[in-house]
PDB file of all heavy atoms in Angstrom:
ATOM      1  N   PHE B  49       3.704  54.039 -33.994  1.00 87.00           N
ATOM      2  CA  PHE B  49       4.686  55.052 -33.604  1.00 87.00           C
ATOM      3  C   PHE B  49       5.259  55.738 -34.840  1.00 87.00           C
ATOM      4  O   PHE B  49       5.294  56.974 -34.921  1.00 87.00           O
ATOM      5  CB  PHE B  49       5.808  54.393 -32.789  1.00 87.00           C
ATOM      6  CG  PHE B  49       6.916  55.339 -32.448  1.00 87.00           C
ATOM      7  CD1 PHE B  49       6.769  56.268 -31.422  1.00 87.00           C
ATOM      8  CD2 PHE B  49       8.099  55.318 -33.159  1.00 87.00           C
ATOM      9  CE1 PHE B  49       7.790  57.152 -31.113  1.00 87.00           C
ATOM     10  CE2 PHE B  49       9.127  56.200 -32.858  1.00 87.00           C
ATOM     11  CZ  PHE B  49       8.964  57.114 -31.839  1.00 87.00           C
ATOM     12  N   VAL B  50       5.674  54.921 -35.816  1.00 88.00           N
ATOM     13  CA  VAL B  50       6.274  55.510 -37.011  1.00 88.00           C
ATOM     14  C   VAL B  50       5.254  56.400 -37.726  1.00 88.00           C
ATOM     15  O   VAL B  50       5.580  57.494 -38.193  1.00 88.00           O
ATOM     16  CB  VAL B  50       6.799  54.412 -37.954  1.00 88.00           C
ATOM     17  CG1 VAL B  50       7.306  55.010 -39.253  1.00 88.00           C
ATOM     18  CG2 VAL B  50       7.913  53.634 -37.294  1.00 88.00           C
ATOM     19  N   MET B  51       4.005  55.939 -37.794  1.00 91.00           N
ATOM     20  CA  MET B  51       2.980  56.733 -38.504  1.00 91.00           C
ATOM     21  C   MET B  51       2.725  58.057 -37.805  1.00 91.00           C
ATOM     22  O   MET B  51       2.671  59.114 -38.457  1.00 91.00           O
ATOM     23  CB  MET B  51       1.682  55.936 -38.585  1.00 91.00           C
ATOM     24  CG  MET B  51       1.684  54.905 -39.701  1.00 91.00           C
ATOM     25  SD  MET B  51       0.107  54.063 -39.793  1.00 91.00           S
ATOM     26  CE  MET B  51       0.138  53.500 -41.477  1.00 91.00           C
ATOM     27  N   THR B  52       2.590  58.021 -36.490  1.00 91.00           N
ATOM     28  CA  THR B  52       2.322  59.260 -35.766  1.00 91.00           C
ATOM     29  C   THR B  52       3.479  60.234 -35.930  1.00 91.00           C
ATOM     30  O   THR B  52       3.286  61.422 -36.238  1.00 91.00           O
ATOM     31  CB  THR B  52       2.103  58.965 -34.268  1.00 91.00           C
ATOM     32  OG1 THR B  52       1.244  57.850 -34.149  1.00 91.00           O
ATOM     33  CG2 THR B  52       1.506  60.153 -33.550  1.00 91.00           C
ATOM     34  N   MET B  53       4.703  59.719 -35.739  1.00 88.00           N
ATOM     35  CA  MET B  53       5.868  60.588 -35.865  1.00 88.00           C
ATOM     36  C   MET B  53       5.997  61.105 -37.299  1.00 88.00           C
ATOM     37  O   MET B  53       6.341  62.276 -37.507  1.00 88.00           O
ATOM     38  CB  MET B  53       7.143  59.809 -35.498  1.00 88.00           C
ATOM     39  CG  MET B  53       7.258  59.464 -34.033  1.00 88.00           C
ATOM     40  SD  MET B  53       7.274  60.918 -32.983  1.00 88.00           S
ATOM     41  CE  MET B  53       8.858  61.614 -33.419  1.00 88.00           C
ATOM     42  N   THR B  54       5.717  60.229 -38.267  1.00 90.00           N
ATOM     43  CA  THR B  54       5.821  60.658 -39.665  1.00 90.00           C
ATOM     44  C   THR B  54       4.851  61.789 -39.934  1.00 90.00           C
ATOM     45  O   THR B  54       5.218  62.809 -40.541  1.00 90.00           O
ATOM     46  CB  THR B  54       5.495  59.481 -40.604  1.00 90.00           C
ATOM     47  OG1 THR B  54       6.363  58.408 -40.298  1.00 90.00           O
ATOM     48  CG2 THR B  54       5.674  59.874 -42.038  1.00 90.00           C
ATOM     49  N   ALA B  55       3.606  61.621 -39.476  1.00 92.00           N
ATOM     50  CA  ALA B  55       2.609  62.669 -39.706  1.00 92.00           C
ATOM     51  C   ALA B  55       3.076  63.981 -39.091  1.00 92.00           C
ATOM     52  O   ALA B  55       3.011  65.045 -39.726  1.00 92.00           O
ATOM     53  CB  ALA B  55       1.266  62.247 -39.123  1.00 92.00           C
ATOM     54  N   THR B  56       3.617  63.908 -37.873  1.00 92.00           N
ATOM     55  CA  THR B  56       4.069  65.121 -37.191  1.00 92.00           C
ATOM     56  C   THR B  56       5.212  65.783 -37.951  1.00 92.00           C
ATOM     57  O   THR B  56       5.142  66.971 -38.303  1.00 92.00           O
ATOM     58  CB  THR B  56       4.558  64.762 -35.767  1.00 92.00           C
ATOM     59  OG1 THR B  56       3.610  63.896 -35.176  1.00 92.00           O
ATOM     60  CG2 THR B  56       4.725  66.003 -34.924  1.00 92.00           C
ATOM     61  N   VAL B  57       6.249  64.997 -38.214  1.00 90.00           N
ATOM     62  CA  VAL B  57       7.456  65.584 -38.799  1.00 90.00           C
ATOM     63  C   VAL B  57       7.206  66.030 -40.242  1.00 90.00           C
ATOM     64  O   VAL B  57       7.651  67.099 -40.648  1.00 90.00           O
ATOM     65  CB  VAL B  57       8.632  64.577 -38.729  1.00 90.00           C
ATOM     66  CG1 VAL B  57       9.878  65.182 -39.323  1.00 90.00           C
ATOM     67  CG2 VAL B  57       8.897  64.177 -37.291  1.00 90.00           C
ATOM     68  N   THR B  58       6.471  65.207 -40.997  1.00 92.00           N
ATOM     69  CA  THR B  58       6.257  65.615 -42.394  1.00 92.00           C
ATOM     70  C   THR B  58       5.371  66.860 -42.467  1.00 92.00           C
ATOM     71  O   THR B  58       5.563  67.688 -43.348  1.00 92.00           O
ATOM     72  CB  THR B  58       5.599  64.501 -43.227  1.00 92.00           C
ATOM     73  OG1 THR B  58       4.473  64.003 -42.537  1.00 92.00           O
ATOM     74  CG2 THR B  58       6.571  63.392 -43.515  1.00 92.00           C
ATOM     75  N   TRP B  59       4.428  67.003 -41.528  1.00 93.00           N
ATOM     76  CA  TRP B  59       3.612  68.237 -41.537  1.00 93.00           C
ATOM     77  C   TRP B  59       4.521  69.431 -41.343  1.00 93.00           C
ATOM     78  O   TRP B  59       4.447  70.411 -42.075  1.00 93.00           O
ATOM     79  CB  TRP B  59       2.547  68.192 -40.423  1.00 93.00           C
ATOM     80  CG  TRP B  59       1.514  69.277 -40.579  1.00 93.00           C
ATOM     81  CD1 TRP B  59       0.333  69.208 -41.236  1.00 93.00           C
ATOM     82  CD2 TRP B  59       1.620  70.628 -40.092  1.00 93.00           C
ATOM     83  NE1 TRP B  59      -0.326  70.416 -41.198  1.00 93.00           N
ATOM     84  CE2 TRP B  59       0.451  71.306 -40.501  1.00 93.00           C
ATOM     85  CE3 TRP B  59       2.588  71.325 -39.359  1.00 93.00           C
ATOM     86  CZ2 TRP B  59       0.205  72.649 -40.202  1.00 93.00           C
ATOM     87  CZ3 TRP B  59       2.346  72.664 -39.063  1.00 93.00           C
ATOM     88  CH2 TRP B  59       1.171  73.315 -39.484  1.00 93.00           C
ATOM     89  N   LEU B  60       5.415  69.326 -40.343  1.00 92.00           N
ATOM     90  CA  LEU B  60       6.328  70.441 -40.057  1.00 92.00           C
ATOM     91  C   LEU B  60       7.183  70.749 -41.278  1.00 92.00           C
ATOM     92  O   LEU B  60       7.325  71.907 -41.684  1.00 92.00           O
ATOM     93  CB  LEU B  60       7.229  70.090 -38.865  1.00 92.00           C
ATOM     94  CG  LEU B  60       6.528  70.012 -37.510  1.00 92.00           C
ATOM     95  CD1 LEU B  60       7.494  69.503 -36.453  1.00 92.00           C
ATOM     96  CD2 LEU B  60       5.986  71.373 -37.115  1.00 92.00           C
ATOM     97  N   ILE B  61       7.736  69.687 -41.877  1.00 91.00           N
ATOM     98  CA  ILE B  61       8.617  69.925 -43.020  1.00 91.00           C
ATOM     99  C   ILE B  61       7.836  70.517 -44.191  1.00 91.00           C
ATOM    100  O   ILE B  61       8.275  71.484 -44.823  1.00 91.00           O
ATOM    101  CB  ILE B  61       9.315  68.607 -43.432  1.00 91.00           C
ATOM    102  CG1 ILE B  61      10.352  68.234 -42.374  1.00 91.00           C
ATOM    103  CG2 ILE B  61       9.981  68.739 -44.787  1.00 91.00           C
ATOM    104  CD1 ILE B  61      11.050  66.941 -42.644  1.00 91.00           C
ATOM    105  N   TYR B  62       6.646  69.951 -44.428  1.00 91.00           N
ATOM    106  CA  TYR B  62       5.901  70.408 -45.600  1.00 91.00           C
ATOM    107  C   TYR B  62       5.465  71.859 -45.456  1.00 91.00           C
ATOM    108  O   TYR B  62       5.669  72.665 -46.358  1.00 91.00           O
ATOM    109  CB  TYR B  62       4.673  69.502 -45.817  1.00 91.00           C
ATOM    110  CG  TYR B  62       3.983  69.766 -47.126  1.00 91.00           C
ATOM    111  CD1 TYR B  62       4.557  69.356 -48.325  1.00 91.00           C
ATOM    112  CD2 TYR B  62       2.770  70.448 -47.180  1.00 91.00           C
ATOM    113  CE1 TYR B  62       3.942  69.608 -49.534  1.00 91.00           C
ATOM    114  CE2 TYR B  62       2.142  70.697 -48.385  1.00 91.00           C
ATOM    115  CZ  TYR B  62       2.731  70.277 -49.568  1.00 91.00           C
ATOM    116  OH  TYR B  62       2.131  70.527 -50.758  1.00 91.00           O
ATOM    117  N   TYR B  63       4.862  72.201 -44.294  1.00 92.00           N
ATOM    118  CA  TYR B  63       4.288  73.537 -44.173  1.00 92.00           C
ATOM    119  C   TYR B  63       5.291  74.590 -43.731  1.00 92.00           C
ATOM    120  O   TYR B  63       5.087  75.776 -43.980  1.00 92.00           O
ATOM    121  CB  TYR B  63       3.077  73.513 -43.228  1.00 92.00           C
ATOM    122  CG  TYR B  63       1.886  72.856 -43.883  1.00 92.00           C
ATOM    123  CD1 TYR B  63       1.546  71.543 -43.597  1.00 92.00           C
ATOM    124  CD2 TYR B  63       1.120  73.538 -44.834  1.00 92.00           C
ATOM    125  CE1 TYR B  63       0.482  70.921 -44.225  1.00 92.00           C
ATOM    126  CE2 TYR B  63       0.057  72.926 -45.465  1.00 92.00           C
ATOM    127  CZ  TYR B  63      -0.262  71.617 -45.161  1.00 92.00           C
ATOM    128  OH  TYR B  63      -1.304  71.007 -45.795  1.00 92.00           O
ATOM    129  N   LEU B  64       6.360  74.192 -43.049  1.00 90.00           N
ATOM    130  CA  LEU B  64       7.308  75.199 -42.568  1.00 90.00           C
ATOM    131  C   LEU B  64       8.541  75.323 -43.456  1.00 90.00           C
ATOM    132  O   LEU B  64       9.233  76.328 -43.423  1.00 90.00           O
ATOM    133  CB  LEU B  64       7.751  74.869 -41.135  1.00 90.00           C
ATOM    134  CG  LEU B  64       6.626  74.833 -40.093  1.00 90.00           C
ATOM    135  CD1 LEU B  64       7.198  74.606 -38.704  1.00 90.00           C
ATOM    136  CD2 LEU B  64       5.804  76.114 -40.125  1.00 90.00           C
ATOM    137  N   VAL B  65       8.827  74.270 -44.256  1.00 88.00           N
ATOM    138  CA  VAL B  65      10.030  74.354 -45.090  1.00 88.00           C
ATOM    139  C   VAL B  65       9.673  74.349 -46.578  1.00 88.00           C
ATOM    140  O   VAL B  65      10.041  75.255 -47.315  1.00 88.00           O
ATOM    141  CB  VAL B  65      10.996  73.188 -44.776  1.00 88.00           C
ATOM    142  CG1 VAL B  65      12.260  73.311 -45.617  1.00 88.00           C
ATOM    143  CG2 VAL B  65      11.356  73.162 -43.307  1.00 88.00           C
ATOM    144  N   LEU B  66       8.943  73.364 -47.005  1.00 89.00           N
ATOM    145  CA  LEU B  66       8.738  73.180 -48.437  1.00 89.00           C
ATOM    146  C   LEU B  66       7.820  74.247 -49.036  1.00 89.00           C
ATOM    147  O   LEU B  66       8.113  74.794 -50.093  1.00 89.00           O
ATOM    148  CB  LEU B  66       8.192  71.775 -48.722  1.00 89.00           C
ATOM    149  CG  LEU B  66       9.100  70.606 -48.336  1.00 89.00           C
ATOM    150  CD1 LEU B  66       8.511  69.300 -48.814  1.00 89.00           C
ATOM    151  CD2 LEU B  66      10.494  70.771 -48.916  1.00 89.00           C
ATOM    152  N   ILE B  67       6.710  74.564 -48.350  1.00 89.00           N
ATOM    153  CA  ILE B  67       5.772  75.560 -48.900  1.00 89.00           C
ATOM    154  C   ILE B  67       6.403  76.951 -48.965  1.00 89.00           C
ATOM    155  O   ILE B  67       6.387  77.586 -50.037  1.00 89.00           O
ATOM    156  CB  ILE B  67       4.459  75.583 -48.086  1.00 89.00           C
ATOM    157  CG1 ILE B  67       3.717  74.267 -48.299  1.00 89.00           C
ATOM    158  CG2 ILE B  67       3.613  76.806 -48.419  1.00 89.00           C
ATOM    159  CD1 ILE B  67       2.427  74.362 -49.024  1.00 89.00           C
ATOM    160  N   PRO B  68       7.034  77.437 -47.865  1.00 88.00           N
ATOM    161  CA  PRO B  68       7.633  78.788 -47.953  1.00 88.00           C
ATOM    162  C   PRO B  68       8.689  78.885 -49.044  1.00 88.00           C
ATOM    163  O   PRO B  68       8.876  79.947 -49.634  1.00 88.00           O
ATOM    164  CB  PRO B  68       8.252  78.985 -46.572  1.00 88.00           C
ATOM    165  CG  PRO B  68       7.515  78.077 -45.676  1.00 88.00           C
ATOM    166  CD  PRO B  68       7.115  76.905 -46.493  1.00 88.00           C
ATOM    167  N   LEU B  69       9.408  77.798 -49.323  1.00 87.00           N
ATOM    168  CA  LEU B  69      10.473  77.866 -50.328  1.00 87.00           C
ATOM    169  C   LEU B  69       9.993  77.428 -51.708  1.00 87.00           C
ATOM    170  O   LEU B  69      10.810  77.296 -52.626  1.00 87.00           O
ATOM    171  CB  LEU B  69      11.644  76.960 -49.893  1.00 87.00           C
ATOM    172  CG  LEU B  69      12.398  77.385 -48.627  1.00 87.00           C
ATOM    173  CD1 LEU B  69      13.392  76.320 -48.218  1.00 87.00           C
ATOM    174  CD2 LEU B  69      13.126  78.701 -48.847  1.00 87.00           C
TER     175      LEU B  69
END
Side-chain angles (χ1 to χ4, degrees):
Chain B
F49 175 77
V50 175
M51 280 183 157
T52 315
M53 290 300 291
T54 304
T56 314
V57 180
T58 49
W59 192 92
L60 291 173
I61 289 178
Y62 189 73
Y63 287 101
L64 299 184
V65 182
L66 297 187
I67 292 246
L69 294 173

